């Protein structure tokens, strides 16, 4: 049943919300996401709390990002080897 919820709700995510998930999967903080999207920090936090977490069924920001990666909505960049 949980998988069906993801399929129904993620189809309604906005491009900026998908970009938030992608940036978060690459380790960006909320402040970095806000700056990248030229959006107030409070808006970014509200998006996590009221839209992205419920849409993906996450219990917190990190869990929501993990669910997005598992669903193929976000793809973490490969880690660079230490020099």
């Amino acid at each position: 049943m949980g998988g069906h919820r993801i399929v129904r709700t993620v189809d309604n995510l906005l491009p900026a919300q998908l970009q938030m998930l992608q940036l978060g999967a690459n380790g960006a903080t909320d402040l970095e996401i806000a700056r990248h999207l030229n959006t107030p920090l409070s808006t970014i936090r509200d998006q996590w709390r009221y839209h992205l977490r419920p849409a993906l069924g996450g219990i917190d920001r990190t869990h929501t990002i993990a669910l997005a990666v598992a669903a193929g909505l976000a793809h973490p960049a490969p880690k660079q080897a230490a020099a």
Side-chain angles (χ1 to χ4, degrees):
M1 183 166 147
H4 295 290
R5 179 171 181 229
I6 289 175
V7 171
R8 282 197 314 263
T9 57
V10 297
D11 290 338
N12 297 324
L13 293 179
L14 300 171
Q17 292 169 324
L18 292 170
Q19 194 170 12
M20 282 180 61
L21 291 168
Q22 181 60 51
L23 291 165
N26 286 321
T29 66
D30 286 350
L31 182 58
E32 291 167 337
I33 293 170
R35 287 179 177 158
H36 183 83
L37 297 177
N38 196 29
T39 303
L41 179 59
S42 61
T43 299
I44 297 301
R45 290 183 174 157
D46 286 347
Q47 288 295 316
W48 286 118
R49 181 176 295 124
Y50 300 115
H51 300 286
L52 294 171
R53 279 183 34 213
L56 288 142
I59 57 172
D60 58 23
R61 181 186 189 275
T62 302
H63 186 229
T64 302
I65 292 168
L67 291 170
V69 169
L73 297 171
H75 309 281
K79 298 286 183 193
Q80 296 290 336

